Amino acid sequence: MLAIAAFRLGKGSRKDPLKLSKIALLGSSALAFALPNCASADDQVERGKYIVENVAKCTECHSPRVQNGELQKGLLLSGAKLEFKPITPNASWAESAPDIRGIKGYNEESAVTLFSRGIAKNYGELAPPMPSYKMTEEDADAVYKYLKSLEP
């Protein structure tokens, strides 16, 4: 396909590096759009990290805090006592958020179910205040891969 494009851009332009670099750029861009699901494992981990830290905000509950309320560096996602309570009494309210580094006890399939359908392995529905996320399976898989990469 690139050879055809080079030929159509003009005969005798084979030695013009600027035209050839434009062709190569167009070809690689077309290839990138044609193969969107071929992201590397590192890309998936980075995507999962972004979702965990910036979208789902898992660190807010699953990380301990220092006296001034800031997250304790080096212990992100290592579990923490929840410092807030529901406005009205709720018997199923969790007192703490577990350590989710390495996502112990979950395989990829059960983790994707947890994050995409809100169903915890062996527990059914999640205890409040844990939200019942409805992520896409692709986002849920990226979150799993990120958490798995954090094995303590």
Side-chain angles (χ1 to χ4, degrees), residues 13-65:
S13 65
R14 288 185 211 156
K15 293 182 181 178
D16 185 348
L18 184 58
K19 284 186 180 180
L20 289 177
S21 64
K22 287 180 183 177
I23 293 167
L25 182 60
L26 285 171
S28 63
S29 297
L31 185 60
F33 285 112
L35 302 172
N37 295 325
C38 294
S40 73
D42 290 341
D43 291 342
Q44 283 295 91
V45 169
E46 282 303 311
R47 178 181 178 182
K49 179 179 181 178
Y50 177 81
I51 293 167
V52 164
E53 293 180 357
N54 300 294
V55 179
K57 300 283 193 179
C58 304
T59 53
E60 296 300 313
C61 294
H62 289 272
S63 302
R65 295 179 181 272

Side-chain angles (χ1 to χ4, degrees), residues 4 12 49 70 83 85-86 95 111 119 134:
I4 293 169
K49 179 179 181 178
E70 290 181 18
E83 299 296 330
K85 305 281 184 214
E95 295 293 321
I119 300 171
K134 304 292 186 204

Side-chain angles (χ1 to χ4, degrees), residues 12 16-17 35 53-54 58 68 93 104-106 130 133 135 138 140 145 152:
D16 185 348
L35 302 172
E53 293 180 357
N54 300 294
C58 304
N68 68 0
W93 188 270
K104 297 175 205 88
Y106 281 85
M130 178 67 182
Y133 290 110
M135 297 179 188
E138 293 81 14
K145 286 180 171 124

